[in-house]
Amino acid sequence: MLDVTVIEDPEAAAVSLDPIRARLLAELAAGPASAAMLAGKVGLPRQKVNYHLKALERHGLVELAGERRKGNVTERLMRATAASYVISPLALASVQPDPDRFRDQLSARWLLALGARLVRDVGQLITGAAKARKGLATYALDGEVRFASAAERAAFIQELTAGVTALIRKYDAPESEGGRDHRIVVAVHPTLKQTELE
């Protein structure tokens, strides 16, 4: 089971967003189960659970983990293909955000468009690397800082911009035939309070 996977197909996204199917995905992320086992947990008849499991399986969100005999019936044990899922903007391709349409470094909406592109691009890279059975070279940095004032935040942004710009100038080799382009995204936003996460 993967830790996280990106859903790119619109139909798979729609299937995953159904509340019952989302609940089944959550149950199956905890471990394999049969339709009968899940029926008691979600309060639905086994046949209804089986119907939802087949829809999830058609879209690659769950898979067969094994089979077991129970009396004269063979039960299929299903498991989630990932512990968690992210829906790519590709699922809404015609209306996905385009950060190139406008550039405003101080706009929260532009930051959101960049984040959406990050999900889309990294999702496609993961899919391509998995098909090619290759690794994917990525890097991420995550941290928090408490600014004493708005002025200190502005100074930090200025230094961060200067530092990253200097690194880009130092290492950018646009004429290198064997090189590969890489995207750099740096984001600064307020941290959500615990009450906002609930």
Side-chain angles (χ1 to χ4, degrees):
M1 176 191 305
L2 299 171
D3 181 51
V4 62
T5 195
V6 179
I7 299 171
E8 297 173 341
D9 177 60
E11 290 180 23
V15 165
S16 72
L17 291 172
D18 176 272
I20 293 169
R21 292 170 182 166
R23 171 86 192 277
L24 292 173
L25 282 175
E27 293 290 342
L28 292 172
S34 68
M37 294 164 65
L38 291 166
K41 292 181 180 182
V42 299
L44 291 172
R46 180 190 56 78
Q47 295 88 345
K48 190 83 167 168
V49 170
N50 204 36
Y51 166 79
H52 290 298
L53 287 175
K54 285 182 179 176
L56 291 166
E57 186 178 19
R58 269 194 309 276
H59 294 286
L61 301 173
V62 300
E63 63 189 4
L64 184 66
E67 295 180 333
R68 69 177 184 185
R69 295 283 301 165
K70 194 169 184 184
N72 53 353
V73 175
T74 300
E75 280 190 326
R76 290 170 34 111
L77 295 172
M78 304 302 289
R79 68 174 166 225
T81 55
S84 57
Y85 300 86
V86 174
I87 297 177
S88 170
L90 284 177
L92 292 169
S94 60
V95 292
Q96 67 180 307
D98 181 5
D100 294 329
R101 197 171 22 229
F102 68 97
R103 293 181 67 85
D104 180 355
Q105 291 177 306
L106 300 178
S107 166
R109 297 195 188 282
W110 190 59
L111 176 57
L112 189 60
L114 288 173
R117 182 176 64 194
L118 180 68
V119 169
R120 181 199 69 201
D121 291 356
V122 174
Q124 287 185 289
L125 288 166
I126 289 170
T127 300
K131 284 179 182 172
R133 298 182 185 269
K134 290 186 176 182
L136 180 60
T138 61
Y139 168 78
L141 176 66
D142 182 38
E144 289 187 31
V145 58
R146 180 179 289 233
F147 297 111
S149 66
E152 293 229 342
R153 180 187 177 281
F156 175 86
I157 297 296
Q158 190 173 9
E159 284 185 51
L160 179 65
T161 302
V164 172
T165 301
L167 280 171
I168 290 171
R169 280 194 199 114
K170 179 178 178 180
Y171 290 99
D172 188 25
E175 306 304 319
S176 174
E177 286 186 31
R180 180 161 185 192
D181 293 337
H182 284 70
R183 183 170 302 282
I184 299 163
V185 177
V186 178
V188 177
H189 63 81
T191 304
L192 287 172
K193 296 175 186 168
Q194 188 59 39
T195 53
E196 294 171 313
L197 294 170
E198 294 170 353

